């Protein structure tokens, strides 16, 4: 089996002087294997080896000094430029949330060769998407700001990747020829428009060889054909994925995966470097290493370990909490936070923390506040060794007005810990984490960003976002030991045995991030690659490693507690296997049998195993079916979570959870009783404390007291106040009594519908049931999103579902019902409680807009006969719809109208048919 | 059996200064032996604009003293007449890649020089010996090994290792 590096070595050995060549890989990792092969052939002077971005920098540095700026060099220049366009951006707190996204958009549009003129056109299409005023102004200024930003950086001798690429193109145009005998570009994939142009330009002045390594899977084949045929002639190495070499290992959790790898590996192997473990979930590295340590052979780790999982990160977090709480209290120290800090692993051996803690507890209980002045604290703890130093560093941090002052004080404190805390020497990982943290703080203190003025809250926000992206490097000795890699490093490498872990959706492949400035509609307008295309990189990483390895073991969590289902990659391999009339070595009994994820699909056939999942249906499942049967299939039959929705709506969901819980607690004592003005007054007074208590119970104290947590709680409190005002007015008008409050999340109201010889249970969960003055029971659901309710009068006027063609039943529901939630709720309440249907109603209360919608419009509410007819119609229509859902002859058909907002569009790809 | 990069713990300023000295010497020997130009090149490649002036002054002062030192004179004499290669990648027998600060190629008298800005340590000489062995294998003749120490006051000291 050929690997990328073997092919490169074959090319180099044909050359007179390999040292005069440069080899460019997507990442540097394959070059280590190239070096090993070259050394075996007796080569002492290897070619220069680079990753793509380092190679562009190297070439430009042959012409002029090139300082590639980090984020702390870039952001102050971004801000200086944007202040001239958007007034609010002169405030760091307002600008920072936008800064990185805008910088990313500058780079991407620049590398994609998008002209200023094309960028100017974006604001023209924005009105159709109802953008916020600020978003519109950002796009209005975008072309000019981008131009000024790059001019400014160039004048400062600070480069970004886009600037390096564009300046290099200009130099080549001016006649620059690199002093090399030739270049090999190996394994590149989806590089940008400008970079492809650079390769073409270089090809005009130097011998250039391009090798693409192409796993033979349909979703990638089309891209490779385009790359090799249209962009530049390239040598394409097609590599087949042989499913007979693939083994599946279902596991019960993350730790189980590490344990299984440990036991799957033989006790000793002759060439351990020919085996690799790929670990997408980097924070599981230490657990994995624990199991691998039991083996006798060496292990080489060439992936980073996230700093956020080390004691260093928790130390910074404690300092930030102390700083943030003190800023709100006139820079006085919050004693519990101070106590947490001195007990930290970094400080605890340097201080007599137990006695200090006792003194602090005594001090706190004797006073009336948990806050203390620093000078007073110095006096109280004067006799304790080491406290003077700690308080000195803290004092410097708390009085910092600039990011750099804070970072410098923190780095001095870390340096003090490095020198004094000998216990850290015993733990290599923590020692390196501490040193990395120190270096990073020093860099920050000396950077242009360090000179920026910020509040302590702003400093905290910045430090968290930057530090939590940092990684600790392990010493890479690729030539000796079992290889432990991240997915990116495994790209293009083949191993005798490959163990690929964490193959669950959201981890591998990762959920793509949201691009705030360049969402897909704008990308489409600018003819830039859509966000989905970025996902192809994951496909490439995975399949190139799988295709090139001799034995492949795929590990995934297959347990009810799994946060996400098995990765689509495994489904795809199962599909490939079935196409070839084969089976993967281990197949889960309940594995999905008909996912066609590799190719654009036209329809999905029903299977008898679907019936189990159709026995109990919620209103949202039926609503999803109405919107698109294929979407329903993904969500409720294949059980793939709604990927995009999960990340985008996280905050709304957090708010919703808290508000629901708080309202349940406020209203519970009133169950079966009448409300009163006094109840509303007391409820308002309890909002603040109840919100804090519930947040601490649901999230934990740390999150509830963090910056983000506090911001969310502010919204929650505001919503609750508005809600109580609204409810009091409604109560005064309608005089309802609270009859039921949801306590048990599992409690449901349901009814049975018999359809085509099968029984289907339709169910709902009530947040609250009220009894109205007229004796009607109303089942309520609190909503944080849009309110959708049926147009009952229209349904009664035109009850016939015309035609029998596919989709017409759904069309009727979409137009007339919008959502089946309220009819199902009303039917369920009637059936569950045995209340006549003429006495039930259902409604939605918007916690955002402070309004309600009811199932029956006013004119039908007093008409019991009409409501009884409506009930029969609801049952009849639902039976029609369920009949279609249960009909095995009718496949799940895609509904193209819902594609733009569908969370499954990236895996469905129906629009490409 | 798992190794984390065990870096020598040195202060950020010292570490950064050491990197700049290496880059400046590379620019000096691969260019036209102009110290000011080499210093400008190093700070331009490695520092954000806000720090360049400060480090430039420090480097110029250091190189001013270095140029006048006996050790640097010895290094220049060693370089004289040789074909000069800076930052040369070489491969060990098992394929480990090393980067040689200065490789001087001349018939019958090739040499490798490694720059050090820290105090002498036992492993410095071992490192140069390893480079010299690999280079000897590569060119098929003996290669001498040197360490060039630069102290913080700008004095240079050239030490023959092999």
């Amino acid at each position: 089996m050929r690997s990328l590096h073997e092919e490169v070595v074959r090319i180099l050995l044909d050359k007179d002087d390999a040292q005069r060549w440069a080899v460019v890989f997507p990442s540097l990792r394959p070059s280590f294997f190239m070096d090993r092969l070259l050394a075996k052939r007796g080569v002492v002077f290897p070619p220069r080896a680079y990753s793509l971005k380092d190679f562009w920098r190297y070439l430009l540095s042959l012409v002029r000094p090139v300082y590639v700026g980090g984020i702390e060099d870039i952001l102050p220049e971004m801000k200086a430029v944007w202040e001239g366009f958007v007034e609010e951006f002169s405030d760091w707190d307002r600008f920072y949330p936008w800064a990185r996204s805008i910088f990313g958009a500058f780079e991407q549009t620049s590398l994609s060769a998008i002209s200023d003129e094309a960028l100017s056109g974006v604001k023209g299409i924005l009105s159709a998407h109802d953008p916020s005023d600020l978003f519109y102004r950002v796009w209005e200024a975008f072309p000019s700001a981008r131009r000024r930003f790059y001019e400014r950086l160039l004048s400062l001798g600070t480069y970004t990747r886009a600037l390096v690429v564009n300046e290099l193109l200009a130099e080549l145009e001016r006649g620059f020829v690199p002093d090399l005998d030739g270049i090999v570009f190996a394994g590149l994939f989806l590089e940008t428009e400008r970079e492809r142009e650079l390769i073409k330009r270089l090809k005009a002045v130097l011998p250039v060889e391009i090798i693409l390594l192409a796993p033979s899977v349909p979703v990638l084949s089309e891209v490779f054909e385009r790359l090799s045929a249209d962009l530049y002639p390239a040598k394409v190495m097609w590599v087949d994925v042989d499913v007979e070499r693939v083994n599946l290992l279902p596991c019960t959790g993350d730790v189980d995966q590490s344990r299984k790898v440990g036991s799957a590996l033989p006790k000793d192997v002759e060439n351990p470097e020919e085996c690799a473990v790929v670990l997408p979930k980097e924070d599981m590295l230490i657990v994995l290493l624990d199991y691998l340590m039991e083996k006798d052979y060496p292990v080489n780790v060439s992936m980073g370990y996230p700093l956020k999982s080390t004691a260093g990160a928790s130390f910074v977090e404690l300092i930030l909490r102390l700083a943030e709480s003190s800023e709100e209290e006139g820079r006085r120290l919050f004693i519990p936070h101070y106590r947490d800090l001195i007990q930290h692993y970094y400080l605890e051996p340097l201080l007599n923390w137990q006695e200090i803690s006792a003194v602090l507890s005594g001090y706190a209980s004797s006073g009336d506040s948990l806050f203390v002045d620093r000078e007073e604290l110095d006096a109280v703890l004067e006799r304790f060794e080491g406290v003077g130093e700690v308080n000195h560093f803290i004092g410097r941090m708390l009085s910092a007005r600039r990011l750099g002052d804070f970072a410098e004080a923190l780095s001095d404190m870390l340096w003090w810990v490095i020198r004094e805390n000998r216990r850290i020497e015993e733990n290599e990982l923590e020692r390196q984490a501490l040193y990395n943290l120190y270096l990073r703080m020093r860099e920050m203190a000396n950077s242009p960003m360090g000179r920026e003025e910020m509040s302590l809250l702003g400093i905290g926000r910045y430090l968290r976002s930057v530090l939590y992206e940092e990684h600790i490097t392990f010493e890479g000795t690729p030539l000796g030991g079992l290889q432990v890699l991240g997915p990116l490093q495994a790209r293009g490498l083949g191993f005798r045995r490959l163990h690929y872990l964490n193959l669950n959706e959201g981890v591998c492949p990762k959920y793509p991030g949201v691009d705030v400035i360049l969402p897909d509609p704008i990308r489409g307008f600018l003819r830039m690659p859509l966000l989905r295309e970025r996902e192809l990189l994951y496909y490439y990483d995975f399949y190139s490693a799988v295709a090139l390895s001799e034995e492949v073991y795929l590990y995934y969590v297959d347990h009810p507690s799994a946060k996400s289902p098995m990765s689509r990659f495994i489904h795809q391999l199962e599909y490939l296997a079935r196409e070839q009339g084969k089976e993967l070595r281990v197949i889960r009994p309940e594995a999905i049998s008909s996912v066609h994820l590799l190719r654009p699909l036209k329809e999905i056939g029903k299977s008898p195993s679907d019936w189990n999942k159709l026995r109990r249906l919620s209103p949202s499942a039926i609503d999803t079916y109405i919107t698109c049967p294929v979407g329903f299939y993904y969500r409720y039959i294949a059980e793939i979570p709604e990927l995009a929705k999960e990340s985008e709506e996280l905050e709304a969901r957090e708010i919703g959870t808290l508000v629901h819980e708080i309202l349940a607690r406020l209203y519970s004592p009133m169950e079966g009783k009448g409300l009163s003005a006094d109840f509303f007054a007391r409820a308002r007074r309890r909002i603040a404390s109840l919100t804090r208590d519930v947040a601490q119970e649901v999230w934990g104290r740390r999150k509830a007291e963090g910056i983000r947590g506090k911001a969310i709680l502010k919204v929650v409190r505001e919503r609750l106040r508005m809600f109580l005002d609204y409810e009091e007015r409604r109560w005064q008008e309608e005089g309802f009594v609270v009859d039921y409050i949801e306590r048990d999340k599992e409690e449901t109201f349901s009814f049975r519908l018999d359809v085509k010889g099968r029984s289907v249970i339709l169910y709902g969960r009530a947040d609250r049931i009220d009894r109205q003055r007229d004796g009607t029971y109303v089942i309520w659901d609190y909503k944080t999103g849009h309110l959708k309710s049926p147009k009952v009068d229209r349904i009664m006027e035109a009850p016939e579902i015309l035609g029998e063609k596919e989709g017409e039943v759904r069309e009727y529901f979409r137009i007339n019902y919008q959502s089946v939630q309220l009819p199902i709720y009303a039917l369920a309440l009637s059936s569950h409680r045995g209340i006549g249907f003429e006495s039930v109603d259902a409604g939605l209360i918007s916690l955002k807009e402070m309004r309600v919608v009811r199932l029956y419009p006013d004119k039908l509410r007093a008409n019991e006969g009409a409501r009884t007819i409506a009930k029969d119609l609801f049952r009849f229509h639902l039976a029609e719809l369920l009949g279609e859902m249960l009909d095995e002859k009718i496949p799940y058909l895609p509904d193209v109208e819902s594609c733009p907002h569908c969370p499954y569009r990236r895996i469905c790809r129906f629009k490409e048919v | 059996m798992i190794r984390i990069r065990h870096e020598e713990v040195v202060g950020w300023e010292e570490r950064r200064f050491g990197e700049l000295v290496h880059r400046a010497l590379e620019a000096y020997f691969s260019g036209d032996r102009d110290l000011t130009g080499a210093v400008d090149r190093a700070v331009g490649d490695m520092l954000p604009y806000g720090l360049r002036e400060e480090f430039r002054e420090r480097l110029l002062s250091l190189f001013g003293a270095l140029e006048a030192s006996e050790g640097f004179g010895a290094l220049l004499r060693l370089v004289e007449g040789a074909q000069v290669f800076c930052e040369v990648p070489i491969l060990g027998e098992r394929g480990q890649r090393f980067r040689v600060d200065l490789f001087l190629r001349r018939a019958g008298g090739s040499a490798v020089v490694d720059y050090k800005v820290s105090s002498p340590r036992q492993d410095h000489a071992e490192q140069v010996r390893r480079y010299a062995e690999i280079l000897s294998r590569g060119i098929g003749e003996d290669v001498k090994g040197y360490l060039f120490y630069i102290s913080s006051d700008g004095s240079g000291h050239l030490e023959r290792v092999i």
Side-chain angles (χ1 to χ4, degrees), chain A residues 258-276:
Chain A
S258 301
R259 189 180 60 78
K260 282 202 167 99
V261 173
S263 48
L265 290 165
K267 193 73 181 160
D268 60 310
V269 288
E270 202 176 323
N271 296 310
E273 67 277 4
E274 291 178 359
C275 297

Side-chain angles (χ1 to χ4, degrees), chain A residues 507-692:
Chain A
V507 184
C508 191
K510 273 186 188 166
Y511 296 139
V514 176
D515 195 327
V516 179
I517 305 293
L518 286 172
D520 274 349
I522 295 180
R523 285 172 178 274
F525 172 77
L526 293 172
R527 295 175 191 277
M528 288 174 70
L530 300 181
L531 291 171
R532 191 182 64 75
E533 288 193 27
R534 286 189 192 172
E535 208 174 64
L536 291 175
L537 282 169
Y538 295 120
Y539 283 71
Y540 179 60
D541 292 348
F542 176 77
Y543 281 110
S544 64
V546 168
L548 287 170
S549 297
E550 288 174 32
E551 286 172 36
V552 178
Y553 299 88
L554 305 180
Y555 297 72
Y556 58 100
V557 180
D558 174 31
H559 190 262
S561 66
K563 288 180 186 152
S564 59
M566 185 167 78
S567 168
R568 74 193 68 169
F569 292 147
I570 298 180
H571 289 306
Q572 289 165 353
L573 287 169
E574 283 181 337
Y575 178 71
L576 279 179
R578 267 201 304 279
E579 267 202 332
Q580 296 166 24
K582 298 171 185 166
E583 281 188 347
L584 302 184
R585 189 87 28 104
V586 176
I587 297 174
R588 287 167 32 146
E590 68 274 33
I592 299 159
S593 56
S594 52
V595 182
H596 300 58
L597 297 176
L598 280 172
R599 289 176 181 159
L601 56 88
K602 289 174 182 161
E603 61 182 45
I604 297 174
K606 284 179 184 149
S607 127
S609 63
D610 296 358
W611 308 142
N612 275 340
K613 293 176 178 170
L614 292 168
R615 271 192 201 148
R616 270 176 64 83
L617 290 171
S618 67
S620 32
I622 299 175
D623 284 349
T624 307
Y625 182 86
I626 293 167
T627 307
C628 173
V630 169
F632 169 82
Y633 168 80
Y634 284 130
R635 177 74 185 86
Y636 294 96
I637 305 297
E639 295 177 339
I640 299 171
E642 294 182 1
L643 313 179
K645 248 184 166 174
E646 281 200 352
S647 54
E648 283 166 13
E649 295 181 355
L650 185 61
E651 202 156 279
R653 206 177 295 171
E654 284 176 315
I655 293 171
T657 306
L658 291 183
V659 171
H660 272 72
E661 183 59 33
I662 294 165
L663 287 178
R665 293 193 193 186
L666 282 175
Y667 278 84
S668 284
M670 309 311 292
E671 211 173 51
K673 300 176 194 166
L675 299 177
S676 63
D678 187 45
F679 160 76
F680 286 105
R682 272 187 289 116
R684 282 189 194 92
R685 285 199 296 275
R686 287 184 65 200
I687 286 176
S689 60
L690 200 52
T691 304
R692 188 193 57 228

Side-chain angles (χ1 to χ4, degrees), chain A residues 159-177:
Chain A
Y159 289 78
T160 64
R161 181 169 183 167
L163 207 45
V164 167
V165 166
N166 286 326
E167 287 298 302
L168 186 56
L169 271 168
E171 290 293 352
L172 287 167
E173 209 159 294
R174 283 193 280 268
F176 163 61
V177 179

